[in-house]
Amino acid sequence: GYINMKNKFIIKPKFDFAEAFSNKIARIELKEKWGYINTKGRYIIKPQFEYISTFNKDIAKGKYNGKWGIINKNGKFIFKPQFDYIENFKNGVTNVAIGNKWGYINTKGRYTIAPKYDWAFEFNRGIAIVKSGNKFGYIKKSGEFLIKPQFYNLDDCHKGVAHVELNGVWFEIRLGNKY
């Protein structure tokens, strides 16, 4: 439940889990289903999701019947649950999995890069790490390879420098000041 500054209940305890309010809504869990309430305790989104994330720019991830989709603040799907996993949006793009392949979508639910990688990390400074087979490389937001998958291990690029492993030996490579 929720109490006011005088320790009086303004919303009686009835949820299994309740978060603090943010922008006049709070994420709640009831009987293993997630939803949102307003400051009066009324459902904005009835508990119906296996999981629901916090809202970021008026959208949230919702898991329904084992699949992930994106919902608006009314609980309506902007795009239907179809993904096996979806990360958080960053700069209008996120990485998603369908089956065992990863790709990228925008906030309209359109693929910017179709699922084709064995793993895809979020974009950071305009590039992302992707895995193809057992090797890693870097792609640009356009989907064009900056460096084709050829390394057994690598890390995020920092100030244009990345550390990569090839045949058990670690190297430092320069990707340019842009990254």
Side-chain angles (χ1 to χ4, degrees):
Y2 294 87
I3 58 173
N4 63 16
M5 300 298 273
K6 296 178 184 173
N7 286 330
K8 303 262 188 216
F9 279 105
I10 54 171
I11 300 173
K12 295 190 189 257
K14 65 178 181 179
F15 305 112
D16 300 322
F17 179 82
E19 287 187 345
F21 282 92
S22 175
N23 296 317
K24 299 183 181 180
I25 61 173
R27 187 168 60 146
I28 53 90
E29 181 186 17
L30 180 64
K31 298 180 183 173
E32 298 182 6
K33 297 291 182 185
W34 290 83
Y36 272 88
I37 59 170
N38 64 18
T39 54
K40 297 189 186 306
R42 294 190 186 109
Y43 291 119
I44 301 286
I45 300 172
K46 290 183 180 177
Q48 59 186 305
F49 296 95
E50 294 158 42
Y51 185 79
I52 189 171
S53 70
T54 54
F55 278 91
N56 180 0
K57 295 185 180 181
D58 296 330
I59 60 174
K61 302 183 298 188
K63 187 175 185 181
Y64 191 80
N65 289 333
K67 297 288 184 180
W68 291 89
I70 298 295
I71 62 169
N72 63 21
K73 286 196 172 179
N74 297 318
K76 304 286 184 220
F77 281 103
I78 295 171
F79 39 98
K80 66 181 182 171
Q82 59 188 300
F83 305 108
D84 292 305
Y85 195 75
I86 185 168
E87 292 286 350
N88 293 322
F89 280 94
K90 184 177 179 184
N91 298 318
V93 179
T94 188
N95 40 335
V96 295
I98 291 185
N100 60 355
K101 294 296 179 186
W102 286 78
Y104 297 87
I105 59 170
N106 62 23
T107 55
K108 293 184 180 2
R110 294 191 184 104
Y111 285 106
T112 58
I113 301 171
K116 59 184 172 184
Y117 300 108
D118 295 312
W119 191 265
F121 294 78
E122 73 178 20
F123 279 94
N124 192 6
R125 291 182 289 282
I127 61 172
I129 297 170
V130 293
K131 182 179 182 185
S132 185
N134 65 346
K135 295 184 179 172
F136 294 90
Y138 294 97
I139 60 169
K140 299 176 185 180
K141 277 193 172 181
S142 65
E144 177 188 352
F145 281 110
L146 183 62
I147 298 177
K148 289 184 179 181
Q150 57 189 294
F151 304 108
Y152 295 106
N153 207 343
L154 48 73
D155 62 11
D156 274 334
C157 181
H158 182 69
K159 294 185 178 179
V161 176
H163 298 94
V164 299
E165 178 193 1
L166 186 61
N167 299 322
V169 179
W170 282 87
F171 297 90
E172 183 177 279
I173 60 173
R174 300 200 183 280
L175 301 175
N177 294 335
K178 185 176 177 182
Y179 309 105

PDB file of all heavy atoms in Angstrom, residues 124-149:
ATOM      1  N   ASN A 124      26.229   1.771 -28.879  1.00  0.00           N
ATOM      2  CA  ASN A 124      26.908   2.703 -27.995  1.00  0.00           C
ATOM      3  C   ASN A 124      27.801   3.572 -28.874  1.00  0.00           C
ATOM      4  O   ASN A 124      28.652   3.042 -29.588  1.00  0.00           O
ATOM      5  CB  ASN A 124      27.722   1.918 -26.952  1.00  0.00           C
ATOM      6  CG  ASN A 124      28.228   2.781 -25.839  1.00  0.00           C
ATOM      7  OD1 ASN A 124      27.905   3.967 -25.756  1.00  0.00           O
ATOM      8  ND2 ASN A 124      29.020   2.203 -24.974  1.00  0.00           N
ATOM      9  N   ARG A 125      27.559   4.861 -28.876  1.00  0.00           N
ATOM     10  CA  ARG A 125      28.294   5.804 -29.723  1.00  0.00           C
ATOM     11  C   ARG A 125      28.223   5.419 -31.202  1.00  0.00           C
ATOM     12  O   ARG A 125      29.198   5.529 -31.943  1.00  0.00           O
ATOM     13  CB  ARG A 125      29.740   5.934 -29.247  1.00  0.00           C
ATOM     14  CG  ARG A 125      29.881   6.646 -27.907  1.00  0.00           C
ATOM     15  CD  ARG A 125      31.319   6.797 -27.477  1.00  0.00           C
ATOM     16  NE  ARG A 125      31.986   5.584 -27.070  1.00  0.00           N
ATOM     17  CZ  ARG A 125      31.844   4.976 -25.884  1.00  0.00           C
ATOM     18  NH1 ARG A 125      31.050   5.469 -24.989  1.00  0.00           N
ATOM     19  NH2 ARG A 125      32.516   3.885 -25.606  1.00  0.00           N
ATOM     20  N   GLY A 126      27.062   4.905 -31.613  1.00  0.00           N
ATOM     21  CA  GLY A 126      26.837   4.625 -33.022  1.00  0.00           C
ATOM     22  C   GLY A 126      27.302   3.275 -33.529  1.00  0.00           C
ATOM     23  O   GLY A 126      27.153   2.977 -34.704  1.00  0.00           O
ATOM     24  N   ILE A 127      27.893   2.452 -32.644  1.00  0.00           N
ATOM     25  CA  ILE A 127      28.311   1.113 -33.056  1.00  0.00           C
ATOM     26  C   ILE A 127      27.810   0.084 -32.041  1.00  0.00           C
ATOM     27  O   ILE A 127      27.509   0.421 -30.898  1.00  0.00           O
ATOM     28  CB  ILE A 127      29.845   0.993 -33.231  1.00  0.00           C
ATOM     29  CG1 ILE A 127      30.583   1.279 -31.925  1.00  0.00           C
ATOM     30  CG2 ILE A 127      30.333   1.872 -34.357  1.00  0.00           C
ATOM     31  CD1 ILE A 127      32.078   0.999 -31.992  1.00  0.00           C
ATOM     32  N   ALA A 128      27.727  -1.158 -32.492  1.00  0.00           N
ATOM     33  CA  ALA A 128      27.292  -2.249 -31.615  1.00  0.00           C
ATOM     34  C   ALA A 128      28.151  -3.476 -31.882  1.00  0.00           C
ATOM     35  O   ALA A 128      28.619  -3.697 -33.008  1.00  0.00           O
ATOM     36  CB  ALA A 128      25.828  -2.586 -31.848  1.00  0.00           C
ATOM     37  N   ILE A 129      28.315  -4.264 -30.851  1.00  0.00           N
ATOM     38  CA  ILE A 129      28.995  -5.556 -30.975  1.00  0.00           C
ATOM     39  C   ILE A 129      27.963  -6.580 -31.421  1.00  0.00           C
ATOM     40  O   ILE A 129      26.859  -6.624 -30.885  1.00  0.00           O
ATOM     41  CB  ILE A 129      29.614  -5.979 -29.626  1.00  0.00           C
ATOM     42  CG1 ILE A 129      30.697  -4.983 -29.195  1.00  0.00           C
ATOM     43  CG2 ILE A 129      30.174  -7.395 -29.710  1.00  0.00           C
ATOM     44  CD1 ILE A 129      31.184  -5.189 -27.769  1.00  0.00           C
ATOM     45  N   VAL A 130      28.328  -7.397 -32.397  1.00  0.00           N
ATOM     46  CA  VAL A 130      27.470  -8.498 -32.832  1.00  0.00           C
ATOM     47  C   VAL A 130      28.302  -9.775 -32.876  1.00  0.00           C
ATOM     48  O   VAL A 130      29.522  -9.740 -33.035  1.00  0.00           O
ATOM     49  CB  VAL A 130      26.819  -8.246 -34.211  1.00  0.00           C
ATOM     50  CG1 VAL A 130      25.825  -7.091 -34.143  1.00  0.00           C
ATOM     51  CG2 VAL A 130      27.847  -8.010 -35.288  1.00  0.00           C
ATOM     52  N   LYS A 131      27.582 -10.881 -32.717  1.00  0.00           N
ATOM     53  CA  LYS A 131      28.222 -12.195 -32.766  1.00  0.00           C
ATOM     54  C   LYS A 131      27.625 -12.975 -33.925  1.00  0.00           C
ATOM     55  O   LYS A 131      26.407 -13.033 -34.086  1.00  0.00           O
ATOM     56  CB  LYS A 131      27.988 -12.950 -31.460  1.00  0.00           C
ATOM     57  CG  LYS A 131      28.653 -14.303 -31.409  1.00  0.00           C
ATOM     58  CD  LYS A 131      28.391 -14.987 -30.073  1.00  0.00           C
ATOM     59  CE  LYS A 131      29.108 -16.318 -30.006  1.00  0.00           C
ATOM     60  NZ  LYS A 131      28.769 -17.038 -28.761  1.00  0.00           N
ATOM     61  N   SER A 132      28.499 -13.563 -34.729  1.00  0.00           N
ATOM     62  CA  SER A 132      28.088 -14.410 -35.831  1.00  0.00           C
ATOM     63  C   SER A 132      28.911 -15.687 -35.727  1.00  0.00           C
ATOM     64  O   SER A 132      30.143 -15.640 -35.787  1.00  0.00           O
ATOM     65  CB  SER A 132      28.334 -13.700 -37.163  1.00  0.00           C
ATOM     66  OG  SER A 132      27.836 -14.477 -38.220  1.00  0.00           O
ATOM     67  N   GLY A 133      28.220 -16.823 -35.533  1.00  0.00           N
ATOM     68  CA  GLY A 133      28.949 -18.062 -35.242  1.00  0.00           C
ATOM     69  C   GLY A 133      29.607 -17.916 -33.888  1.00  0.00           C
ATOM     70  O   GLY A 133      28.949 -17.540 -32.921  1.00  0.00           O
ATOM     71  N   ASN A 134      30.882 -18.145 -33.811  1.00  0.00           N
ATOM     72  CA  ASN A 134      31.587 -17.983 -32.529  1.00  0.00           C
ATOM     73  C   ASN A 134      32.515 -16.771 -32.532  1.00  0.00           C
ATOM     74  O   ASN A 134      33.421 -16.675 -31.720  1.00  0.00           O
ATOM     75  CB  ASN A 134      32.356 -19.263 -32.163  1.00  0.00           C
ATOM     76  CG  ASN A 134      33.472 -19.567 -33.144  1.00  0.00           C
ATOM     77  OD1 ASN A 134      33.540 -18.994 -34.227  1.00  0.00           O
ATOM     78  ND2 ASN A 134      34.344 -20.479 -32.771  1.00  0.00           N
ATOM     79  N   LYS A 135      32.273 -15.832 -33.453  1.00  0.00           N
ATOM     80  CA  LYS A 135      33.157 -14.666 -33.552  1.00  0.00           C
ATOM     81  C   LYS A 135      32.362 -13.367 -33.448  1.00  0.00           C
ATOM     82  O   LYS A 135      31.190 -13.304 -33.814  1.00  0.00           O
ATOM     83  CB  LYS A 135      33.949 -14.710 -34.847  1.00  0.00           C
ATOM     84  CG  LYS A 135      34.903 -15.906 -34.870  1.00  0.00           C
ATOM     85  CD  LYS A 135      35.767 -15.911 -36.083  1.00  0.00           C
ATOM     86  CE  LYS A 135      36.701 -17.112 -36.017  1.00  0.00           C
ATOM     87  NZ  LYS A 135      37.444 -17.280 -37.243  1.00  0.00           N
ATOM     88  N   PHE A 136      33.055 -12.340 -32.971  1.00  0.00           N
ATOM     89  CA  PHE A 136      32.452 -11.034 -32.729  1.00  0.00           C
ATOM     90  C   PHE A 136      33.035  -9.987 -33.660  1.00  0.00           C
ATOM     91  O   PHE A 136      34.189 -10.074 -34.069  1.00  0.00           O
ATOM     92  CB  PHE A 136      32.724 -10.580 -31.285  1.00  0.00           C
ATOM     93  CG  PHE A 136      32.063 -11.423 -30.248  1.00  0.00           C
ATOM     94  CD1 PHE A 136      32.716 -12.537 -29.723  1.00  0.00           C
ATOM     95  CD2 PHE A 136      30.794 -11.107 -29.783  1.00  0.00           C
ATOM     96  CE1 PHE A 136      32.107 -13.311 -28.751  1.00  0.00           C
ATOM     97  CE2 PHE A 136      30.181 -11.878 -28.816  1.00  0.00           C
ATOM     98  CZ  PHE A 136      30.837 -12.992 -28.306  1.00  0.00           C
ATOM     99  N   GLY A 137      32.210  -8.983 -33.950  1.00  0.00           N
ATOM    100  CA  GLY A 137      32.645  -7.835 -34.731  1.00  0.00           C
ATOM    101  C   GLY A 137      31.827  -6.616 -34.345  1.00  0.00           C
ATOM    102  O   GLY A 137      31.063  -6.650 -33.365  1.00  0.00           O
ATOM    103  N   TYR A 138      31.967  -5.533 -35.088  1.00  0.00           N
ATOM    104  CA  TYR A 138      31.257  -4.287 -34.829  1.00  0.00           C
ATOM    105  C   TYR A 138      30.438  -3.891 -36.053  1.00  0.00           C
ATOM    106  O   TYR A 138      30.907  -4.024 -37.185  1.00  0.00           O
ATOM    107  CB  TYR A 138      32.238  -3.148 -34.545  1.00  0.00           C
ATOM    108  CG  TYR A 138      33.038  -3.311 -33.279  1.00  0.00           C
ATOM    109  CD1 TYR A 138      34.316  -3.840 -33.316  1.00  0.00           C
ATOM    110  CD2 TYR A 138      32.518  -2.909 -32.055  1.00  0.00           C
ATOM    111  CE1 TYR A 138      35.074  -3.977 -32.156  1.00  0.00           C
ATOM    112  CE2 TYR A 138      33.265  -3.040 -30.896  1.00  0.00           C
ATOM    113  CZ  TYR A 138      34.537  -3.577 -30.951  1.00  0.00           C
ATOM    114  OH  TYR A 138      35.270  -3.713 -29.802  1.00  0.00           O
ATOM    115  N   ILE A 139      29.211  -3.398 -35.813  1.00  0.00           N
ATOM    116  CA  ILE A 139      28.398  -2.859 -36.901  1.00  0.00           C
ATOM    117  C   ILE A 139      28.038  -1.409 -36.598  1.00  0.00           C
ATOM    118  O   ILE A 139      28.047  -0.983 -35.443  1.00  0.00           O
ATOM    119  CB  ILE A 139      27.099  -3.674 -37.139  1.00  0.00           C
ATOM    120  CG1 ILE A 139      26.219  -3.680 -35.884  1.00  0.00           C
ATOM    121  CG2 ILE A 139      27.405  -5.056 -37.642  1.00  0.00           C
ATOM    122  CD1 ILE A 139      24.822  -4.228 -36.119  1.00  0.00           C
ATOM    123  N   LYS A 140      27.696  -0.690 -37.669  1.00  0.00           N
ATOM    124  CA  LYS A 140      27.163   0.664 -37.551  1.00  0.00           C
ATOM    125  C   LYS A 140      25.642   0.566 -37.496  1.00  0.00           C
ATOM    126  O   LYS A 140      25.066  -0.479 -37.825  1.00  0.00           O
ATOM    127  CB  LYS A 140      27.577   1.499 -38.756  1.00  0.00           C
ATOM    128  CG  LYS A 140      29.074   1.654 -38.923  1.00  0.00           C
ATOM    129  CD  LYS A 140      29.371   2.423 -40.202  1.00  0.00           C
ATOM    130  CE  LYS A 140      30.851   2.490 -40.476  1.00  0.00           C
ATOM    131  NZ  LYS A 140      31.137   3.225 -41.722  1.00  0.00           N
ATOM    132  N   LYS A 141      24.958   1.664 -37.143  1.00  0.00           N
ATOM    133  CA  LYS A 141      23.486   1.666 -37.084  1.00  0.00           C
ATOM    134  C   LYS A 141      22.850   1.346 -38.430  1.00  0.00           C
ATOM    135  O   LYS A 141      21.731   0.876 -38.492  1.00  0.00           O
ATOM    136  CB  LYS A 141      22.955   3.003 -36.559  1.00  0.00           C
ATOM    137  CG  LYS A 141      22.964   3.081 -35.058  1.00  0.00           C
ATOM    138  CD  LYS A 141      22.148   4.250 -34.579  1.00  0.00           C
ATOM    139  CE  LYS A 141      22.017   4.176 -33.071  1.00  0.00           C
ATOM    140  NZ  LYS A 141      21.227   5.266 -32.544  1.00  0.00           N
ATOM    141  N   SER A 142      23.568   1.577 -39.503  1.00  0.00           N
ATOM    142  CA  SER A 142      23.064   1.266 -40.847  1.00  0.00           C
ATOM    143  C   SER A 142      23.051  -0.232 -41.103  1.00  0.00           C
ATOM    144  O   SER A 142      22.445  -0.697 -42.063  1.00  0.00           O
ATOM    145  CB  SER A 142      23.938   1.946 -41.898  1.00  0.00           C
ATOM    146  OG  SER A 142      25.250   1.393 -41.866  1.00  0.00           O
ATOM    147  N   GLY A 143      23.739  -1.005 -40.246  1.00  0.00           N
ATOM    148  CA  GLY A 143      23.874  -2.441 -40.448  1.00  0.00           C
ATOM    149  C   GLY A 143      25.166  -2.815 -41.147  1.00  0.00           C
ATOM    150  O   GLY A 143      25.543  -3.980 -41.211  1.00  0.00           O
ATOM    151  N   GLU A 144      25.844  -1.800 -41.656  1.00  0.00           N
ATOM    152  CA  GLU A 144      27.131  -2.020 -42.324  1.00  0.00           C
ATOM    153  C   GLU A 144      28.180  -2.417 -41.278  1.00  0.00           C
ATOM    154  O   GLU A 144      28.216  -1.866 -40.177  1.00  0.00           O
ATOM    155  CB  GLU A 144      27.542  -0.724 -43.022  1.00  0.00           C
ATOM    156  CG  GLU A 144      28.876  -0.756 -43.697  1.00  0.00           C
ATOM    157  CD  GLU A 144      29.296   0.628 -44.205  1.00  0.00           C
ATOM    158  OE1 GLU A 144      28.477   1.569 -44.168  1.00  0.00           O
ATOM    159  OE2 GLU A 144      30.449   0.743 -44.622  1.00  0.00           O
ATOM    160  N   PHE A 145      29.018  -3.377 -41.651  1.00  0.00           N
ATOM    161  CA  PHE A 145      30.089  -3.773 -40.730  1.00  0.00           C
ATOM    162  C   PHE A 145      31.148  -2.683 -40.638  1.00  0.00           C
ATOM    163  O   PHE A 145      31.602  -2.170 -41.661  1.00  0.00           O
ATOM    164  CB  PHE A 145      30.766  -5.070 -41.188  1.00  0.00           C
ATOM    165  CG  PHE A 145      29.989  -6.299 -40.842  1.00  0.00           C
ATOM    166  CD1 PHE A 145      29.377  -7.039 -41.830  1.00  0.00           C
ATOM    167  CD2 PHE A 145      29.869  -6.713 -39.523  1.00  0.00           C
ATOM    168  CE1 PHE A 145      28.656  -8.172 -41.520  1.00  0.00           C
ATOM    169  CE2 PHE A 145      29.153  -7.849 -39.200  1.00  0.00           C
ATOM    170  CZ  PHE A 145      28.536  -8.585 -40.196  1.00  0.00           C
ATOM    171  N   LEU A 146      31.510  -2.336 -39.443  1.00  0.00           N
ATOM    172  CA  LEU A 146      32.691  -1.521 -39.205  1.00  0.00           C
ATOM    173  C   LEU A 146      33.887  -2.466 -39.215  1.00  0.00           C
ATOM    174  O   LEU A 146      34.897  -2.199 -39.862  1.00  0.00           O
ATOM    175  CB  LEU A 146      32.576  -0.796 -37.864  1.00  0.00           C
ATOM    176  CG  LEU A 146      33.692   0.145 -37.496  1.00  0.00           C
ATOM    177  CD1 LEU A 146      33.788   1.286 -38.505  1.00  0.00           C
ATOM    178  CD2 LEU A 146      33.478   0.702 -36.105  1.00  0.00           C
ATOM    179  N   ILE A 147      33.735  -3.601 -38.507  1.00  0.00           N
ATOM    180  CA  ILE A 147      34.714  -4.690 -38.534  1.00  0.00           C
ATOM    181  C   ILE A 147      33.927  -5.995 -38.540  1.00  0.00           C
ATOM    182  O   ILE A 147      33.136  -6.256 -37.619  1.00  0.00           O
ATOM    183  CB  ILE A 147      35.659  -4.646 -37.314  1.00  0.00           C
ATOM    184  CG1 ILE A 147      36.474  -3.351 -37.322  1.00  0.00           C
ATOM    185  CG2 ILE A 147      36.570  -5.867 -37.295  1.00  0.00           C
ATOM    186  CD1 ILE A 147      37.384  -3.182 -36.131  1.00  0.00           C
ATOM    187  N   LYS A 148      34.104  -6.816 -39.552  1.00  0.00           N
ATOM    188  CA  LYS A 148      33.378  -8.088 -39.668  1.00  0.00           C
ATOM    189  C   LYS A 148      33.729  -8.998 -38.494  1.00  0.00           C
ATOM    190  O   LYS A 148      34.841  -8.925 -37.953  1.00  0.00           O
ATOM    191  CB  LYS A 148      33.718  -8.784 -40.987  1.00  0.00           C
ATOM    192  CG  LYS A 148      33.123  -8.087 -42.183  1.00  0.00           C
ATOM    193  CD  LYS A 148      33.391  -8.848 -43.456  1.00  0.00           C
ATOM    194  CE  LYS A 148      32.743  -8.102 -44.614  1.00  0.00           C
ATOM    195  NZ  LYS A 148      32.937  -8.773 -45.882  1.00  0.00           N
ATOM    196  N   PRO A 149      32.781  -9.866 -38.091  1.00  0.00           N
ATOM    197  CA  PRO A 149      33.069 -10.797 -36.992  1.00  0.00           C
ATOM    198  C   PRO A 149      34.288 -11.663 -37.307  1.00  0.00           C
ATOM    199  O   PRO A 149      34.302 -12.403 -38.289  1.00  0.00           O
ATOM    200  CB  PRO A 149      31.791 -11.637 -36.899  1.00  0.00           C
ATOM    201  CG  PRO A 149      30.726 -10.751 -37.447  1.00  0.00           C
ATOM    202  CD  PRO A 149      31.397  -9.979 -38.540  1.00  0.00           C
TER     203      PRO A 149
END
